[in-house]
Amino acid sequence: MTGTALDDHPARLVAADWAAHLARDRRRSVHTVRAYVAAAHRLIGFLGRHRAGAIGKAGLADVAQAELRAYLAERRQDGLANASAARELSALRGFLAFAGDGAPRMAGPRVKKGIPRPIAPDDAIGLAEDLDETASLPWIGARDFAVLLLLYGAGLRIGEALGLTAAALPLGETLVVTGKRAKTRVVPLIAPVRDAVQAYVDLCPYPLSRDLPLFRGARGGGLSADVIRRSVRGARVRLGLNDRTTPHALRHSFATHLLGRGADLRSLQELLGHASLSSTQVYTGVDAAHLLDIYRNAHPRA
């Protein structure tokens, strides 16, 4: 196109609007917004080169599956790993859905399955953010994000999180949780978990009475654990995560990461609500296996 630099794509204005939407309506972190919008700009630049012309909003509405595949192939040549490519594809699906009718259907890159291991912190947060971004309504996205942060950030079981009532509000620095056999325990709540729950409360369209469930389904009843499990299954496919990435795996990761940072077993037992120490000791094996993996992959004589 004579007189037009291919960097001057009108579609970059759409990416700017999407960035504002992610930050304002989806409450995504600055880091996430930056990463997602960078992916959008990379796609726009690729389409400009591929089509030899400036890309506007209309050009985003007719992106073909073959073009997305070619884009990912180019990114892979730059050294992008399968898991990162899957997450980038998920971000681009969100961008194209925002810009028009959505992305063409295509499977994400296959990710090699390894032995069960804790979910990496970035993947745990990425999983929660993916549920937030792909939800049908902003309040549902905020709800799912808050539930997963309670599992990963406070070590709750899915049933414990969904068993909370609005009597827990307003949240403080600790939360009383009723676990198995009606046993109660006190767990600390870090600020990101409290903020996530409050963001959901602010958006929830249903009145949150003290004696009713805190987390609501789309029709106003109590939220089902199966809804969260299905959403997590979809997110792990989009992000290329192992099929053992489940809501309960977030609780396992909470425990393993605390143990790796020096938490003692007795304190961990109390946080998890285990009746016996033997139930908690399984995490020493998980952590040792993870360290052995690191050793085998890194030591020159392994």
Side-chain angles (χ1 to χ4, degrees), residues 37-259:
V37 173
H41 283 301
R42 283 192 292 269
L43 177 64
I44 292 168
F46 169 82
L47 291 173
R49 296 191 303 274
H50 185 73
R51 299 179 181 181
I55 304 300
K57 185 173 183 178
L60 297 175
D62 63 355
V63 174
Q65 183 183 97
E67 289 177 307
L68 268 186
R69 290 192 183 281
Y71 168 78
L72 288 178
E74 181 177 281
R75 292 285 288 139
R76 293 299 301 278
Q77 290 177 352
D78 293 336
L80 195 68
N82 274 4
S84 298
R87 188 168 187 185
E88 180 143 335
L89 178 59
S90 178
L92 294 178
R93 286 189 180 114
F95 173 56
L96 293 175
F98 177 84
D101 296 329
R105 295 178 62 87
M106 62 177 288
R110 290 183 177 273
V111 178
K112 182 179 179 181
K113 296 180 181 179
I115 63 172
R117 64 184 61 200
I119 303 170
D122 285 348
D123 287 340
I125 300 303
L127 191 72
E129 290 179 337
D130 184 85
L131 262 63
D132 187 0
E133 176 61 28
T134 58
S136 58
L137 295 169
W139 79 269
I140 290 178
R143 178 200 69 191
D144 294 353
F145 185 81
V147 170
L148 291 201
L149 255 62
L150 281 169
L151 307 188
Y152 178 65
L156 270 60
R157 301 177 178 94
I158 182 69
E160 292 170 345
L162 301 187
L164 293 173
T165 68
L169 302 174
L171 294 181
E173 294 186 351
T174 60
L175 176 67
V176 177
V177 177
T178 301
K180 291 183 177 179
R181 294 176 293 278
K183 181 182 178 182
T184 61
R185 69 184 188 279
V186 177
V187 298
L189 292 180
I190 57 177
V193 176
R194 298 196 304 269
D195 293 344
V197 174
Q198 187 59 51
Y200 156 70
V201 169
D202 292 341
L203 290 176
C204 182
Y206 300 107
L208 297 175
S209 303
R210 290 179 58 83
D211 57 341
L212 293 177
L214 172 59
F215 294 107
R216 303 298 187 82
R219 297 182 180 181
L223 177 61
S224 165
D226 286 340
V227 171
I228 297 296
R229 292 189 184 104
R230 284 196 299 270
S231 296
V232 168
R233 283 198 294 271
R236 77 185 180 214
V237 170
R238 290 189 293 271
L239 299 180
L241 299 176
N242 190 284
D243 60 5
R244 291 185 180 269
T245 303
T246 64
H248 197 65
L250 292 172
R251 173 174 153 91
H252 281 295
S253 300
F254 163 84
T256 305
H257 296 162
L258 284 185
L259 188 65

